[in-house]
Amino acid sequence: MFKRKLHCSNCNREVQPGEVIYAKMKVPQHAVMVEIKAYLKNESEIICIDCSKSKE
């Protein structure tokens, strides 16, 4: 299986497994099972915890 790496949309840092993130995303159109990491990478804006704290 391929490893999908997620990156912060703001600082472009790779998000580590188990790290808390914020994701700005649309609700899926269809109620089907999707691979979560693929959906996050393709359909959302990922923000790491450090960038979210700096915006406050």
Side-chain angles (χ1 to χ4, degrees):
M1 178 178 268
F2 298 105
K3 284 200 166 211
R4 297 188 189 276
K5 296 182 180 179
L6 301 176
H7 293 84
C8 175
S9 299
N10 198 28
C11 67
N12 206 32
R13 181 177 64 82
E14 184 179 339
V15 177
Q16 299 303 312
E19 184 177 347
V20 175
I21 62 167
Y22 292 94
K24 181 178 178 182
M25 56 190 260
K26 295 179 184 177
V27 175
Q29 293 282 340
H30 307 285
V32 296
M33 289 294 291
V34 296
E35 184 185 355
I36 294 171
K37 279 190 172 182
Y39 189 79
L40 286 173
K41 187 171 185 171
N42 296 329
E43 303 293 331
S44 71
E45 179 181 337
I46 297 169
I47 303 168
C48 68
I49 194 76
D50 295 332
C51 290
S52 70
K53 285 181 182 178
S54 66
K55 288 185 177 184
E56 291 177 354

